Amino acid sequence: MAKFALQRLGQAVVLLLLVSMIGFAILHLAPGGPLSQFALSSQMSQEDLDRIASQLGLDRPLPVQYADWLWRMLRGDWGNSFRDGEPVLKVIGSHLGATIELMATATLIAILLGCWVGILGAIRRYSLFDTLATVGAMIALSIPTFWFGLVAIYIFSVELGWLPAGNRHTVGDASLLDLIHHLIAPAIVLALVETAIWARFMRSSMLDVIGQDYIRTARAKGLPEWRVLSGHALRNALLPMITVAGLQFPTLLGGALVTETVFTWPGMGRLFLDSIAYRDYPVVMGILMFSAVMVLIGSFLADMLYAAVDPRIRVG
Amino acid sequence: MASDFGPFGQPTRRGLLAIGAGAAAGLATPPSALAQPGRPANPPDKPRGQVVAALSQEPTVFNPLMPGIEVDQGVWWNLFSPLWYIDPQGHFVPDLAKEVPSLENGGLSADGLTWKIKLRTDVKWHDGTPFTADDVKYSLDLINNPNFRVRNRVGHSLVKDIKVVAPDEIHWRMESAYSPYLSILALTFLVPKHILEKAADPNTAPFNNAPVGTGPFRWGTRVAGDHILLNAHTGYHLRGPFVERLVFKYIPDLTVLYTQFRTGQVDYTGIQGILPNFVKEAQGLRGRKVTVSPTASVEHIAPNLEFGALADRTVREALYFAINKKALIDALNYGLPVQTETFVPQQAWSFQAGLPAHAHDPAKANAMLDAAGWKRGAGGIREKDGVKLEFTNSTTSGNAVREQTQQLLMQDWRAIGAGMRINNMPAAVIWGEFWQQSKFNSVLVSVNFMLGSDPDVTPRFGSGAIPAKGGRGFNTYQYSNPTVDRLLAQGATQFDQASRKTTYGEMQKIIRNDLAILPLFQAVISEGIKDGLQGFAPNINCSSNCWNIREWFWA
């Protein structure tokens, strides 16, 4: 198991290095730069722009900039944002809480609801519930998240006035109730696609398991149906879901990006978009590396968990 | 107009009405924007309540001398003070200075080289330290410090021999006379010496993210990516502030921003206001009012005057005649902007009236091109001496209205045998080297050519300001005209406004005649304000209409 873990860690380090090189190259080779926003100002001249670029170190050769960035990164200095001069780690940290809050709530909703729908759909295969759940999942997977968001805002905020049209808090009100009030719509919107994915995987996994011989044996032994399902089927059906959980992280992160924009949620997704638009190289690279590490951790943990519960993985 | 202003130069209610009416003259200002029957007009005795101002860009630069954009300036206006500011009518109004220096009051020498500024004695920084002439000297020195990441040194670099004569008086000498410096100083916010001089590196000083100013509001908190909260500075030296808290709320998507205004979560929609397609609906909302006011930005087609057929003035004139401006303004911009022929806003003292008016006349355009020897070739595209009348037009991708404008232009120009192709790019790309080094054929762009209220356009039209030819400035059009160069030099050394008006009027005539740019219209901004919020006064001379939130209050 330790050898397996070390192998995976080694692969992760190489992957991170590759991500950083490709990300850095793409970002810096893309035309335009962080100073282009000043180009329409009458008060600035080309000389001013050149001077500021030089002060920010943007006039150095790209490999030198990369080597400098990597060296500082390895020493824990992720650089300062071009936009507000704050350290990148502080900038990421200030947005992380909001994203975690949103993603965790959405994940919780998705797992609970998705698993329930999936299990029930498998048990009552081809029933009206199963058909409706399948159609619902297909709709959720086919329609863009931003559309769901806008519809939710229109119905629940503009027309009914039940929920706020966005933001994480009312300014000056940091109560839990206010937070929950603001969290409901974006969390549900973000959870929709995830729920559909979980439901589809869970249904298929459950169907696979309940067709196995040992389930027939359990039933033949006269165990009550609920014990067969919860004690035998569910535990084994949940096993493949570990992988699903690990692989869903990037999808969730992508969904959060859209949801945060629609609901003006001050999280990492919006920060990433803003930073790209501004060509805030240090922050974009910081988020890229942070996300890559998170995805790799997710996938690593999924691998480890799977290997722990199914020894064939380690051997294979 | 003098009676429209109070004892401190602030607009009275009557003045505000006049400003509102004047600013929106000819525009679709709803009656609700100008009258609120039955509501008291007096501000409260002490700050009360809060204002949530929504912005579509996030303010991130809080040191007002560092590189920032319009949205940052909106915050600076509330945290800091300049020596004087420019009111909506274009008058200089003293702020930290006791009076605006002039030839008449002896603040300026006859040759414009010696400046003597008298300062107020009742001003305190937010931490209680008195503001003095040392702060002015420190600010000017910092701007000229080669190690400081200053926004620009236009005008400031001419300041020499700064002498602090007394805590409330400062003198300096200008290397050469430069009249636009009055406007530049009106947009230069002063920073505290006693805080910044202690920083090892002013570029990374803690002050830059927790600023201390002399403005009407004190720094409160910032939640990055979400909002900035400022608190009332009760010791403020001018009138106000009248609200306890000012919240700048960042909402990047303009549709979402409008929705939050509609649902009452924000009180005011600042930069970039309400999208034109929502304006009519917004005007009908209960409990909301909409103000449509002109901005100093002029939407125009920027030709690269060194590129192919566009170098030919006849071609540019023909292209101009072929544009259906009315359709652009009415159909795509909901009739809100005002058509223009010059780069100077129509509200400015330097605006030259009576310039040749644009006419949509494709027949005339065709005749002009025929007469000039531009013959229709394959596919109906004209050519002359092997040069095809064909070019690309670029603008920021994703800007729906501009993209529709391009479609109309393409159609209009096709009718006279000119081929245009669209080549759009993201903002960070198009306004980079592509624009700065004149790598474009033509661009659809909106530019504020003014330095505050000053029409000095040396960085835009001076022949020494062409970056593609090693010049200092933003003459990306590559425009070069010796007469304009002479007028630019002349205007920058004149201090008498009447003389300057003549100089810049002459310049506008030449630039219109040369069609160095193909002006389309003067842009407007539509801002929403919650009913009951008083004091809003659009100011074309500031980059942000958040300039006077100190005057805002809830009725």
Side-chain angles (χ1 to χ4, degrees):
Chain A
M1 186 71 179
K3 192 182 164 197
F4 178 72
L6 278 173
Q7 264 178 354
R8 283 279 187 273
L9 274 175
Q11 286 168 358
V13 170
V14 175
L15 264 172
L16 281 176
L17 202 62
L18 279 173
V19 166
S20 77
M21 283 170 78
I22 295 168
F24 196 91
I26 289 176
L27 190 62
H28 285 71
L29 290 175
L35 304 181
S36 56
Q37 61 172 323
F38 303 119
L40 298 180
S41 161
S42 294
Q43 294 180 37
M44 294 188 88
S45 66
Q46 187 62 44
E47 196 184 41
D48 289 321
L49 294 179
D50 293 344
R51 174 177 47 77
I52 297 167
S54 170
Q55 286 171 332
L56 291 171
L58 295 169
D59 55 348
R60 295 173 300 165
L62 201 57
V64 175
Q65 287 188 52
Y66 176 71
D68 179 49
W69 171 82
L70 189 64
W71 175 238
R72 281 191 290 109
M73 184 105 174
L74 291 173
R75 286 182 301 152
D77 174 10
W78 291 34
N80 283 14
S81 162
F82 287 165
R83 292 174 75 206
D84 54 17
E86 294 271 16
V88 169
L89 281 173
K90 192 177 171 195
V91 175
I92 293 176
S94 65
H95 288 74
L96 192 58
T99 295
I100 289 176
E101 191 177 289
L102 183 61
M103 282 175 63
T105 312
T107 305
L108 193 70
I109 294 171
I111 291 177
L112 292 178
L113 197 63
C115 286
W116 177 74
V117 170
I119 292 165
L120 214 60
I123 296 169
R124 300 182 186 169
R125 198 178 178 188
Y126 304 134
S127 66
L128 180 64
F129 176 86
D130 186 34
T131 310
L132 286 177
T134 303
V135 172
M138 286 305 136
I139 291 172
L141 287 168
S142 313
I143 295 176
T145 310
F146 78 86
W147 187 85
F148 277 126
L150 292 176
V151 168
I153 289 173
Y154 181 74
I155 296 174
F156 297 106
S157 306
V158 177
E159 290 300 316
L160 299 172
W162 291 351
L163 296 170
N167 307 328
R168 192 181 177 198
H169 267 301
T170 306
V171 178
D173 182 358
S175 67
L176 185 64
L177 205 64
D178 186 64
L179 172 70
I180 292 170
H181 195 210
H182 282 78
L183 188 58
I184 294 171
I188 289 176
V189 167
L190 181 59
L192 267 174
V193 175
E194 289 302 304
T195 305
I197 293 171
W198 277 88
R200 297 307 297 159
F201 273 108
M202 193 68 220
R203 180 182 181 275
S204 144
S205 180
M206 195 69 178
L207 278 175
D208 192 35
V209 170
I210 55 180
Q212 300 286 325
D213 289 346
Y214 66 89
I215 296 291
R216 260 202 308 277
T217 309
R219 282 181 179 142
K221 277 167 37 184
L223 281 175
E225 187 63 12
W226 67 270
R227 290 235 3 230
V228 173
L229 290 174
S230 62
H232 292 72
L234 189 58
R235 284 175 68 173
N236 288 301
L238 279 171
L239 203 61
M241 303 311 283
I242 294 170
T243 317
V244 175
L247 296 177
Q248 279 312 295
F249 185 77
T251 316
L252 200 61
L253 211 59
L257 199 129
V258 176
T259 314
E260 284 177 3
T261 303
V262 174
F263 287 94
T264 55
W265 195 263
M268 294 259 290
R270 256 178 58 189
L271 175 68
F272 190 57
L273 284 184
D274 286 350
S275 304
I276 286 180
Y278 189 92
R279 295 287 198 276
D280 193 347
Y281 301 140
V283 176
V284 175
M285 283 307 294
I287 297 176
L288 195 67
M289 295 312 292
F290 182 82
S291 305
V293 169
M294 288 295 110
V295 170
L296 286 172
I297 288 176
S299 144
F300 177 78
L301 286 178
D303 280 351
M304 291 299 109
L305 270 172
Y306 215 99
V309 292
D310 189 348
R312 287 173 301 175
I313 302 293
R314 280 174 269 167
V315 181
Chain B
M1 188 56 79
S3 61
D4 292 335
F5 287 80
F8 301 100
Q10 82 285 6
T12 58
R13 176 166 169 74
R14 190 179 141 213
L16 282 179
L17 297 186
I19 292 163
L27 303 172
T29 308
S32 62
L34 305 176
Q36 293 179 331
R39 291 187 184 280
N42 294 327
D45 296 334
K46 59 177 188 175
R48 204 175 63 204
Q50 70 175 22
V51 168
V52 180
L55 309 167
S56 61
Q57 292 168 321
E58 186 182 12
T60 52
V61 179
F62 308 114
N63 182 327
L65 302 181
M66 294 185 88
I69 52 175
E70 288 172 350
V71 75
D72 300 306
Q73 293 185 30
V75 180
W76 301 344
W77 276 110
N78 293 287
L79 287 170
F80 296 94
S81 313
L83 289 169
W84 47 84
Y85 62 90
I86 313 171
D87 71 15
Q89 280 71 42
H91 305 133
F92 291 113
V93 180
D95 191 324
L96 292 173
K98 257 187 199 143
E99 56 185 11
V100 181
S102 65
L103 299 172
E104 293 75 31
N105 66 20
L108 293 177
S109 61
D111 58 5
L113 295 178
T114 306
W115 291 53
K116 295 178 179 177
I117 318 287
K118 289 177 181 153
L119 304 168
R120 293 179 70 115
T121 52
D122 58 345
V123 181
K124 285 192 165 51
W125 294 98
H126 294 153
D127 62 4
T129 308
F131 160 80
T132 70
D134 283 328
D135 294 307
V136 183
K137 182 177 188 311
Y138 178 81
S139 299
L140 294 175
D141 285 341
L142 183 62
I143 290 170
N144 287 313
N145 176 350
N147 297 320
F148 179 58
R149 202 157 60 238
V150 72
R151 184 166 62 256
N152 70 77
R153 298 193 177 108
V154 178
H156 302 295
S157 60
L158 301 172
V159 175
K160 308 288 172 192
D161 304 333
I162 305 173
K163 286 190 186 108
V164 173
V165 178
D168 62 344
E169 189 163 350
I170 186 166
H171 298 176
W172 67 72
R173 181 178 63 81
M174 298 293 282
E175 199 169 68
S176 58
Y178 185 55
S179 47
Y181 197 45
L182 272 170
S183 274
I184 289 170
L185 281 177
L187 296 172
T188 302
F189 298 95
L190 301 186
V191 293
K193 178 188 178 191
H194 69 283
I195 294 175
L196 270 167
E197 71 179 353
K198 289 177 191 153
D201 178 3
N203 294 304
T204 54
F207 167 86
N208 298 344
N209 287 303
V212 173
T214 52
F217 292 91
R218 285 182 293 110
W219 184 255
T221 52
R222 174 181 179 227
V223 176
D226 193 57
H227 73 268
I228 295 161
L229 188 142
L230 309 182
N231 296 305
H233 170 43
T234 46
Y236 182 55
H237 56 281
L238 296 181
R239 189 168 174 263
F242 301 122
V243 290
E244 282 178 279
R245 287 177 305 280
L246 168 59
V247 179
F248 286 106
K249 175 80 191 154
Y250 167 50
I251 304 172
D253 187 287
L254 285 171
T255 305
V256 177
L257 189 150
Y258 172 64
T259 306
Q260 295 204 11
F261 174 66
R262 193 179 156 177
T263 56
Q265 285 177 274
V266 300
D267 304 316
Y268 159 73
T269 61
I271 287 172
Q272 306 170 23
I274 298 173
L275 284 170
N277 52 320
F278 290 135
V279 169
K280 200 170 177 192
E281 183 195 76
Q283 286 171 340
L285 293 176
R286 288 182 66 187
R288 309 282 184 276
K289 55 188 176 183
V290 177
T291 301
V292 182
S293 48
T295 72
S297 288
V298 173
E299 181 90 1
H300 64 277
I301 294 150
N304 183 344
L305 301 172
E306 301 261 319
F307 174 78
L310 296 175
D312 184 342
R313 191 203 157 277
T314 308
V315 167
R316 298 199 298 275
E317 189 168 18
L319 291 173
Y320 197 48
F321 273 123
I323 299 171
N324 188 348
K325 265 199 204 186
K326 190 166 164 36
L328 292 181
I329 292 171
D330 291 346
L332 301 183
N333 292 279
Y334 296 81
L336 297 171
V338 183
Q339 102 93 3
T340 190
E341 299 296 345
T342 180
F343 54 87
V344 173
Q346 302 186 13
Q347 294 69 22
W349 58 262
S350 50
F351 173 70
Q352 178 62 46
L355 292 171
H358 168 268
H360 177 220
D361 194 344
K364 190 172 178 182
N366 268 316
M368 282 174 66
L369 290 172
D370 287 340
W374 287 94
K375 299 193 187 328
R376 286 186 188 261
I381 300 297
R382 290 176 186 271
E383 53 182 278
K384 180 184 175 183
D385 303 331
V387 178
K388 279 198 162 189
L389 209 174
E390 210 168 28
F391 55 91
T392 59
N393 183 266
S394 308
T395 197
T396 317
S397 50
N399 184 322
V401 177
R402 286 224 180 104
E403 283 168 353
Q404 288 168 338
T405 302
Q406 287 176 317
Q407 300 285 347
L408 278 187
L409 288 173
M410 196 191 266
Q411 197 177 305
D412 288 343
W413 286 342
R414 181 78 198 177
I416 62 162
M420 181 198 118
R421 292 187 313 281
I422 294 172
N423 179 28
N424 292 345
M425 306 167 192
V429 179
I430 190 170
W431 309 123
E433 204 175 81
F434 182 75
W435 169 250
Q436 288 160 24
Q437 293 298 320
S438 304
K439 294 187 173 173
F440 57 91
N441 296 174
S442 74
V443 164
L444 184 59
V445 61
S446 188
V447 170
N448 176 358
F449 291 87
M450 309 289 279
L451 290 170
S453 65
D454 200 277
D456 179 31
V457 281
T458 310
R460 292 285 169 190
F461 295 119
S463 60
I466 305 172
K469 294 179 179 168
R472 299 169 57 181
F474 276 113
N475 185 351
T476 52
Y477 316 104
Q478 308 204 62
Y479 179 64
S480 177
N481 183 320
T483 314
V484 168
D485 282 343
R486 182 180 59 74
L487 291 169
L488 283 169
Q490 182 177 308
T493 50
Q494 290 173 312
F495 284 85
D496 171 53
Q497 199 176 82
S499 311
R500 296 193 80 207
K501 184 169 168 56
T502 307
T503 304
Y504 288 101
E506 191 59 32
M507 194 186 302
Q508 288 169 72
K509 285 178 197 165
I510 298 171
I511 290 174
R512 167 63 180 82
N513 183 59
D514 286 347
L515 282 168
I517 60 169
L518 273 55
L520 295 177
F521 52 77
Q522 189 183 332
V524 294
I525 181 166
S526 309
E527 289 155 296
I529 306 153
K530 219 181 247 182
D531 228 355
L533 186 56
Q534 309 278 321
F536 173 75
N539 189 342
I540 199 167
N541 304 301
C542 302
S543 298
S544 164
N545 282 338
C546 294
W547 73 286
N548 78 329
I549 299 184
R550 61 175 183 255
E551 301 269 357
W552 296 14
F553 63 92
W554 290 101

